[in-house]
Amino acid sequence: MEDPPSSSSNFAFSLGIDVGKANLELALRSKEDIVERTTVPNDSEGHSTLVDWLSKQGASPEETRVCMEASGDFEEAIAQHLYDNGYRVSVVNPRRIKGYASSQLQRTKTDAADASLIARFGQREDPRPWEPASAAESRLQELTRARQALQKEKTRTQNRLDEAEDEAVQKAHQNLLDEIKRQIEDLEEEIEERVEENSELNDQCSLLETIPGVGLQTAAIVVSELGSPEQFESARQAAAYAGLVPRHRKSGTSIRGKPRMSKVGNGRLRRAMYFPAMTALRFNSAVKAFGDRLKERGKEKMVVIGAAMRKLLHICYGVLKSGRPFDPSLHPGT
């Protein structure tokens, strides 16, 4: 069962890309629903091969829309390469593709089938075009990601230190831990400097810092990972991008099991909300009221924290979208 083509479609071709770490599965659809398929490596050579293949199919940048799922970091290089070659690229949240597959009653789950479905989705739904981050945003993202990686290594090293019994091993872990902490401090200073020297980043981070629970380092992650709030139509879409929407396990017409966070989306943005949400549950009136209502309804601790993470990201989105400082009266704890 297929929905009718969008009347706004002015493209002769729709390219769907199922993005993997090693390979890109490609499906090119024409208006007559003729599909051409191929697979290329997900590296610089494969990206050049993809553009050459499109040219041989007669799929010029002016006549071709490209659609792919957001898949961690694996789609960034090919999206940039196609954008640089003049193609209109859309990077879509996987939940939208999954919902579309359900609406089309798709049962087959293979990379080739996924690529074809993504091509049809791009052809029918006309998703918003993707734009790369500015040089300043890319640099900030690089710094915040490096800091998050060191934070994870710090936790692992601290755990090894706590478990070590030999004195020499303890000393080695302690020295490594001290060095990681020093590197984190250096990165945090660099992040602060990068934000301060760019007026747009500084304005965005300053707005986010008006939200109780959100400090500069968290604000920098939100700005660099979320990108422009204009690419999302609602706060819920932004939360879905971070994988912070509830997921229900269903069987037939019944819901079985407890709702969980989907965790399909930007894990860096999702993880960045955890500790700020814990703080917000204590000191942010809107988030605290929201959490208190959930507790009164008997919700478990981790359910409350997950909901607070989602609520906090909703607030971040609202502040960035409106360009106005946090106002608790606009975010009631409902």
Side-chain angles (χ1 to χ4, degrees):
M1 175 178 137
E2 293 196 9
D3 44 353
S6 168
S7 59
S8 64
S9 177
N10 297 316
F11 294 89
F13 298 95
S14 178
L15 175 67
I17 305 180
D18 185 66
V19 180
K21 181 178 181 180
N23 295 306
L24 302 171
E25 192 73 34
L26 311 175
L28 182 66
R29 298 179 68 93
S30 67
K31 284 188 175 180
E32 294 75 26
D33 279 342
I34 299 172
V35 181
E36 298 290 343
R37 294 187 174 89
T38 192
T39 304
V40 300
N42 192 2
D43 55 26
S44 57
E45 184 176 346
H47 300 168
S48 297
T49 300
L50 189 161
V51 173
D52 291 342
W53 179 76
L54 286 173
S55 179
K56 290 176 182 177
Q57 304 300 321
S60 67
E62 296 76 20
E63 295 183 299
T64 308
R65 64 152 56 85
V66 181
C67 187
M68 67 189 78
E69 289 182 336
S71 56
D73 302 333
F74 303 139
E75 83 286 353
E76 291 182 0
I78 183 56
Q80 183 70 58
H81 186 78
L82 288 166
Y83 180 90
D84 291 342
N85 279 272
Y87 285 91
R88 182 187 189 273
V89 180
S90 296
V91 180
V92 181
N93 189 289
R95 290 180 61 85
R96 290 190 66 190
I97 302 296
K98 186 177 180 181
Y100 185 75
S102 297
S103 73
Q104 300 298 294
L105 304 179
Q106 175 164 313
R107 298 288 182 261
T108 305
K109 178 66 177 173
T110 65
D111 292 344
D114 285 348
S116 184
L117 176 78
I118 293 169
R120 191 164 73 243
F121 174 88
Q123 189 179 50
R124 308 286 173 151
E125 299 299 314
D126 192 26
R128 185 188 301 270
W130 173 87
E131 291 187 6
S134 67
E137 289 171 335
S138 294
R139 177 58 177 157
L140 182 62
Q141 185 181 81
E142 184 180 3
L143 290 168
T144 57
R145 289 183 175 186
R147 176 180 172 272
Q148 283 186 308
L150 283 175
Q151 291 281 15
K152 290 176 68 175
E153 189 59 37
K154 174 186 169 185
T155 300
R156 284 193 290 262
T157 303
Q158 183 66 63
N159 291 338
R160 294 189 191 107
L161 175 60
D162 294 341
E163 295 169 359
E165 297 181 0
D166 184 87
E167 186 174 341
V169 175
Q170 290 176 349
K171 184 177 180 181
H173 286 317
Q174 185 61 60
N175 290 340
L176 178 57
L177 186 61
D178 292 341
E179 174 61 19
I180 293 172
K181 289 178 179 178
R182 184 191 66 76
Q183 292 182 23
I184 290 174
E185 290 176 1
D186 289 345
L187 280 173
E188 289 179 346
E189 290 180 6
E190 182 72 13
I191 288 169
E192 186 173 354
E193 290 175 7
R194 291 287 175 172
V195 169
E196 289 178 351
E197 68 187 20
N198 184 282
S199 59
E200 184 176 355
L201 294 178
N202 192 38
D203 289 346
Q204 290 176 317
C205 288
S206 296
L207 281 172
L208 291 173
E209 287 183 272
T210 65
I211 305 170
V214 177
L216 174 61
Q217 298 301 322
T218 299
I221 295 172
V222 172
V223 168
S224 63
E225 295 294 341
L226 190 63
S228 171
E230 301 303 324
Q231 67 178 312
F232 303 103
E233 296 178 1
S234 65
R236 180 174 175 80
Q237 279 194 9
Y241 173 73
L244 284 172
V245 294
R247 179 188 66 186
H248 297 279
R249 288 181 290 169
K250 295 184 179 180
S251 176
T253 58
S254 300
I255 297 177
R256 302 184 184 278
K258 299 175 182 177
R260 307 289 184 188
M261 279 191 294
S262 72
K263 297 187 179 180
V264 177
N266 189 310
R268 293 182 176 89
L269 181 57
R270 182 171 61 252
R271 288 190 293 272
M273 290 292 102
Y274 182 78
F275 288 111
M278 298 277 282
T279 302
L281 282 168
R282 296 178 60 194
F283 302 109
N284 184 315
S285 58
V287 179
K288 184 178 184 301
F290 180 58
D292 288 344
R293 288 174 64 90
L294 292 176
K295 292 175 186 176
E296 290 172 3
R297 289 160 54 187
K299 299 298 182 181
E300 297 177 359
K301 178 180 178 181
M302 291 308 299
V303 172
V304 174
I305 293 174
M309 291 165 65
R310 184 167 61 254
K311 177 74 172 178
L312 188 59
L313 187 58
H314 281 189
I315 293 173
C316 289
Y317 169 84
V319 164
L320 290 174
K321 183 91 170 183
S322 67
R324 298 175 182 173
F326 172 65
D327 180 351
S329 68
L330 299 178
H331 303 277
T334 55

